[in-house]
Amino acid sequence: EAGVVQSPRYKIIEKKQPVAFWCNPISGHNTLYWYRQNLGQGPELLIRYENEEAVDDSQLPKDRFSAERLKGVDSTLKIQPAELGDSAVYLCASSLVALSGTEAFFGQGTRLTVV
Amino acid sequence: DQQVKQNSPSLSVQEGRISILNCDYTNSMFDYFLWYKKYPAEGPTFLISISSIKDKNEDGRFTVFLNKSAKHLSLHIVPSQPGDSAVYFCAANPPGNTGKLIFGQGTTLQVKP
């Protein structure tokens, strides 16, 4: 069974440019998460989806970040315009259900460098 | 406001010995605690978890201990193997059954042959 697939793996862009990340979760997983991991830190949640509904986006910087999950499967995360401080690894994860103690499966991440 | 803290950035142990990774938290309402392992250029992978109503959970070479009064948990790896060398993240589920994870900063474990 394929795991969580993310693309691209790496992205280098100039500040003020837009960028988008794509995530394909494990088949059948209703819950999808986007996390951001800054250097030397643990991942931090940006947004959580239940099917196609964003149920927790309280930590998403909405002035420049947007996300969507069409048809409750694939998801895209967009930054426009990107700032130097957005350089980080963006991780997508999925789980069968959103319950405490449930294992979340992570993709390999997209490493974004803003120059 | 770091709710989950891993105060040791790195740990080095000899192969065959015990590795002990520590984690402290501030919120007594956390439901579950989970440990994830991360190799370079890969995403974190689940290792072991413990419910807040338990004080120990064991899975093969891995055991997690929870001390609720001290708001402290630890991961024991016995015996340690070179393949265990990775970054270990402690994480917690806040109440509300969202599956959301609050991560610590991570501890890099190096197991020397």
Side-chain angles (χ1 to χ4, degrees):
Chain A
E1 180 181 327
V4 177
V5 179
Q6 291 188 246
S7 68
R9 289 293 310 278
Y10 306 92
K11 190 74 176 178
I12 301 175
I13 62 170
E14 293 184 345
K15 61 182 181 182
K16 300 185 182 180
Q17 294 302 306
V19 65
F21 315 124
W22 175 79
C23 172
N24 179 236
I26 292 174
S27 177
H29 281 196
N30 296 324
T31 307
L32 183 145
Y33 311 84
W34 282 102
Y35 286 85
R36 176 171 61 186
Q37 184 180 10
N38 293 314
L39 190 63
Q41 300 296 315
E44 293 181 324
L45 181 71
L46 290 173
I47 189 168
R48 176 172 67 93
Y49 280 92
E50 291 295 334
N51 299 304
E52 65 274 10
E53 184 182 359
V55 294
D56 182 1
D57 63 356
S58 57
Q59 293 180 268
L60 189 74
K62 298 181 185 61
D63 56 336
R64 298 183 299 107
F65 285 65
S66 65
E68 61 181 6
R69 190 182 184 197
L70 297 176
K71 300 181 181 179
V73 181
D74 294 359
S75 178
T76 56
L77 178 68
K78 298 178 182 177
I79 309 175
Q80 181 171 13
E83 297 179 353
L84 295 176
D86 296 330
S87 296
V89 175
Y90 291 82
L91 292 161
C92 178
S94 70
S95 64
L96 194 57
V97 292
L99 291 175
S100 290
T102 302
E103 176 183 355
F105 295 82
F106 284 82
Q108 292 177 298
T110 296
R111 180 176 294 276
L112 173 67
T113 303
V114 182
V115 298
Chain B
D1 179 23
Q2 192 79 24
Q3 297 189 67
V4 178
K5 296 181 182 180
Q6 294 175 258
N7 292 317
S8 297
S10 62
L11 175 68
S12 181
V13 300
Q14 208 66 35
E15 180 179 7
R17 299 292 188 103
I18 184 172
S19 296
I20 300 177
L21 296 102
N22 294 304
C23 178
D24 297 298
Y25 61 95
T26 57
N27 189 342
S28 60
M29 300 299 290
F30 285 144
D31 282 341
Y32 264 86
F33 300 91
L34 304 90
W35 285 93
Y36 279 78
K37 179 169 71 173
K38 185 182 182 303
Y39 292 118
E42 294 185 12
T45 56
F46 171 77
L47 192 56
I48 191 170
S49 66
I50 187 168
S51 165
S52 60
I53 63 173
K54 301 282 182 70
D55 54 20
K56 177 182 175 181
N57 188 26
E58 188 173 354
D59 183 3
R61 297 186 296 115
F62 303 91
T63 303
V64 57
F65 296 93
L66 176 62
N67 182 336
K68 288 185 286 294
S69 61
K71 294 192 180 71
H72 177 84
L73 64 155
S74 60
L75 174 69
H76 293 213
I77 307 174
V78 182
S80 301
Q81 299 173 354
D84 296 329
S85 298
V87 179
Y88 289 78
F89 289 99
C90 172
N93 286 140
N97 256 338
T98 65
K100 172 182 178 178
L101 293 165
I102 299 174
F103 283 89
Q105 307 96 308
T107 296
T108 300
L109 172 66
Q110 183 183 26
V111 180
K112 297 180 179 178

